[in-house]
Amino acid sequence: MNAEIEELYQEVILDHSRRPRNFGELADAAVRVHGDNPACGDEIHLGVKFDAGGGLQDIKFTGHGCAISQASASLMTMKLSGKNRAEVMEMLQAFHNLVTDERSEAPKTLGDLVVMRGVRKFPQRVKCAMLAWRAVEQALEQGTGEASISTEPA
Ligand code: ZN
């Protein structure tokens, strides 16, 4: 990847960490998930509302932590809003590949999320990038109520 593109990616990440999109409490959330990444000190609180078909109608988050964790959450909420379950799981897998697999070509469906691909060079940051995604995975699994997840094994 050339330096110019890397710089551009950096800018997008900083922009999303400073001015996160879909940031705030989701008043009528069906499920709320608290995500913790103790290795870095990142926290994400995710609220999700489902549509009649079980897809993600609305998704918002609050939290604090490193730029990678917050930008990943911000970009993720933009990407997953309005997506059905299968699309969400597909994107989760594609994103995980993007941040872990050197050989992974970024599928077009990921859109702006491609800016996170630099994380693959820093294995300790993968948990930061995946935190919001693990939270949304838990939200889908649980469907209702409250949950907590951690990137560290219990
Ligand atoms: Zn972090």
Side-chain angles (χ1 to χ4, degrees):
M1 194 171 13
N2 71 46
E4 216 166 281
I5 290 181
E6 211 148 342
E7 206 168 290
L8 178 72
Y9 284 179
Q10 201 64 36
E11 257 171 54
V12 174
I13 290 169
L14 283 177
D15 177 52
H16 275 270
S17 68
R18 286 176 186 147
R19 298 188 305 118
R21 318 307 197 266
N22 300 308
F23 193 87
E25 293 289 334
L26 188 58
D28 47 358
V31 56
R32 292 176 202 279
V33 179
H34 170 75
D36 216 4
N37 179 26
C40 182
D42 309 317
E43 283 185 50
I44 297 280
H45 306 271
L46 200 71
V48 177
K49 199 175 145 187
F50 300 102
D51 60 29
L56 299 187
Q57 184 177 1
D58 218 347
I59 171 167
K60 279 184 138 187
F61 81 102
T62 63
H64 58 87
C66 70
I68 297 289
S69 68
Q70 304 303 304
S72 182
S74 174
L75 286 157
M76 182 195 80
T77 57
M78 290 180 73
K79 197 73 209 172
L80 295 187
S81 193
K83 296 284 188 288
N84 68 36
R85 237 157 230 272
E87 289 168 331
V88 170
M89 295 317 285
E90 200 177 297
M91 229 165 262
L92 193 153
Q93 190 56 55
F95 184 75
H96 187 256
N97 289 345
L98 178 81
V99 295
T100 55
D101 186 356
E102 283 289 341
R103 296 157 305 164
S104 156
E105 287 297 322
K108 279 199 173 61
T109 49
L110 284 178
D112 280 352
L113 285 163
V114 71
V115 301
M116 306 298 293
R117 73 187 301 165
V119 168
R120 64 175 68 163
K121 285 185 277 180
F122 307 96
Q124 74 276 20
R125 308 314 294 279
V126 171
K127 286 177 179 174
C128 304
M130 289 304 298
L131 180 60
W133 294 83
R134 292 299 172 214
V136 91
E137 188 180 31
Q138 183 63 39
L140 280 178
E141 205 174 294
Q142 190 154 326
T144 180
E146 312 243 344
S148 286
I149 57 136
S150 175
T151 57
E152 300 295 327

